[in-house]
Amino acid sequence: LLPQMWTSGINEAGKMALLAWQKENGIKLVQINGQRYYGGPPPGWVGGPPLASTEVYIARLPQDVYEDTLIPLFESVGKLYEFRLMLTFSGLNRGFAYARYASRKSAQSAIATFHRFQLRQGCAIVVCWSTQKRELVINGLYASVSQQELEARLKLVTEGIQSVTLHASPSQTHAKLAVLKYRSHMAAALAKKVLMEGNLGLGKAEMKVDWLDTQLKQKLQPSSSWAEGGEGLAVPGPTAMPLSLQNVLEHLNVACWKHHLRTPLFITRCVQVNPSGWQQFWYRVVIPGYHVPIHGFTWVSPDRQGQSKHEKAKVVAALHTLRVLGKSL
């Protein structure tokens, strides 16, 4: 499956060759948020996925090279479980990819065979073990953000989160920093993209999302929670229940009643859908008696069960509104 971004005309010959290779070999490729996948599992695979330690990282790729060249090359040393190529908006590759093998022995063979391999004259690629990053850091959160509020918001807009820890920001005064751990590198990478593009509504203008580096991780290690007023914020496990729409609306209605405002009116509109089913919503909250509407954007994950997409967007809108009311009234 190739998305609409393939109409740019850039590297047209390479793209046509890829399409012909797919058709000839019955290969299915699926693109999700700038990553194009083969396998995971591939056709005919029996059993569960292999260990994460069977994945290799491939770098310094020429940007006009695609899977029709790379998959047969890397499959020549062992059976592939999954191959992921990172793409730009124009459809060129971003210079790196990941190959996950059926066994660690095959992955070792790939490193031994293809590290510094001349893919083209003067173009030696890098092949090494994948680091499997799974932790993100958000810096610049409001100092008043609670662990419960942050975790509830993250569960609405990302998937696969395993833990959330809050710390005093080492670089910004009156701000917090959060470390997020996801179940896989893929889940973390998708979450990073969503959090960078969406409006979490819990941070300052200079809020940043990035991979957690080793140096910062060591610096934060002694403190596993953020305390305020002598009360430690224990981090519940991944089974903690997110806030329901009814629960948040009850809090919001009580806040409006206390400040002599009428019942808020919500407008939610889907403005963008990506190939994986994630939807970006624009929301607007109008409170009769309050001087301005409250609005913003948020990403909503594909539905499996429970709340609808519009309900999830309304939860984010209601939490945003509660925060705005708390500051201004």
Side-chain angles (χ1 to χ4, degrees):
L1 296 176
L2 299 179
Q4 64 271 20
M5 67 176 64
W6 283 73
T7 60
S8 64
I10 297 175
N11 193 26
E12 198 65 36
K15 293 170 183 176
M16 292 303 103
L18 174 62
L19 287 169
W21 174 77
Q22 282 185 258
K23 186 174 182 180
E24 181 182 347
N25 294 280
I27 300 292
K28 183 179 180 182
L29 301 177
V30 178
Q31 186 166 327
I32 303 174
N33 286 338
Q35 300 185 51
R36 194 163 59 218
Y37 295 78
Y38 161 75
W45 181 268
V46 177
L51 298 173
S53 59
T54 62
E55 185 173 87
V56 300
Y57 171 69
I58 307 155
R60 298 185 185 172
L61 292 170
Q63 283 195 280
D64 59 350
V65 169
Y66 298 126
E67 291 89 342
D68 55 321
T69 297
L70 298 171
I71 288 177
L73 179 69
F74 281 89
E75 209 159 32
S76 67
V77 296
K79 185 172 178 59
L80 282 174
Y81 173 77
E82 180 181 78
F83 190 91
R84 295 184 285 135
L85 182 65
M86 309 300 124
L87 297 175
T88 67
F89 284 107
S90 66
L92 294 172
N93 78 63
R94 292 171 56 195
F96 66 101
Y98 296 88
R100 191 172 176 186
Y101 285 91
S103 70
R104 187 173 175 85
K105 184 178 179 181
S106 294
Q108 287 174 324
S109 295
I111 294 171
T113 306
F114 298 123
H115 181 55
R116 298 181 179 174
F117 176 76
Q118 293 278 338
L119 194 61
R120 287 181 184 162
Q121 184 65 34
C123 180
I125 62 175
V126 170
V127 182
C128 58
W129 292 109
S130 170
T131 56
Q132 286 289 309
K133 294 180 182 177
R134 295 193 296 137
E135 292 177 299
L136 301 176
V137 60
I138 304 179
N139 198 5
L141 293 165
Y142 294 124
S144 57
V145 169
S146 69
Q147 191 277 335
Q148 181 189 23
E149 182 181 14
L150 176 60
E151 187 171 349
R153 187 75 62 93
L154 289 168
K155 285 186 175 181
L156 286 170
V157 300
T158 71
E159 291 189 341
I161 192 159
Q162 290 187 319
S163 67
V164 179
T165 57
L166 279 171
H167 308 262
S169 173
S171 59
Q172 298 183 35
T173 56
H174 308 297
K176 286 184 186 177
L177 173 149
V179 174
L180 320 177
K181 186 173 183 179
Y182 285 83
R183 67 168 176 254
S184 67
H185 175 77
M186 183 178 74
L190 294 177
K192 181 174 181 285
K193 182 176 175 64
V194 167
L195 293 172
M196 288 175 69
E197 293 182 354
N199 177 15
L200 193 60
L202 298 176
K204 304 177 179 182
E206 60 270 29
M207 188 186 85
K208 293 182 179 179
V209 181
D210 211 339
W211 294 108
L212 177 63
D213 61 55
T214 305
Q215 188 176 2
L216 179 59
K217 187 173 183 176
Q218 290 175 344
K219 190 182 294 185
L220 297 174
Q221 203 65 41
S223 172
S224 60
S225 64
W226 194 90
E228 183 176 32
E231 182 181 354
L233 291 174
V235 181
T239 56
M241 292 298 290
L243 296 174
S244 68
L245 177 61
Q246 182 179 355
N247 183 268
V248 177
L249 288 180
E250 285 176 2
H251 283 286
L252 181 57
N253 288 335
V254 168
C256 290
W257 175 77
K258 285 182 179 178
H259 295 286
H260 309 290
L261 300 171
R262 293 168 63 188
T263 303
L265 305 173
F266 290 82
I267 303 171
T268 57
R269 183 180 305 146
C270 179
V271 295
Q272 183 182 164
V273 182
N274 70 22
S276 61
W278 287 74
Q279 296 187 4
Q280 187 180 41
F281 275 80
W282 169 85
Y283 58 81
R284 183 183 180 94
V285 183
V286 178
I287 307 175
Y290 191 64
H291 59 289
V292 292
I294 296 160
H295 57 86
F297 290 89
T298 186
W299 283 96
V300 174
S301 63
D303 281 333
R304 287 185 173 85
Q305 58 184 9
Q307 293 172 304
S308 72
K309 293 182 178 71
H310 281 276
E311 285 179 333
K312 290 180 178 180
K314 284 182 181 179
V315 171
V316 174
L319 289 170
H320 184 187
T321 304
L322 275 168
R323 180 165 296 282
V324 170
L325 292 180
K327 286 184 174 182
S328 61
L329 296 174

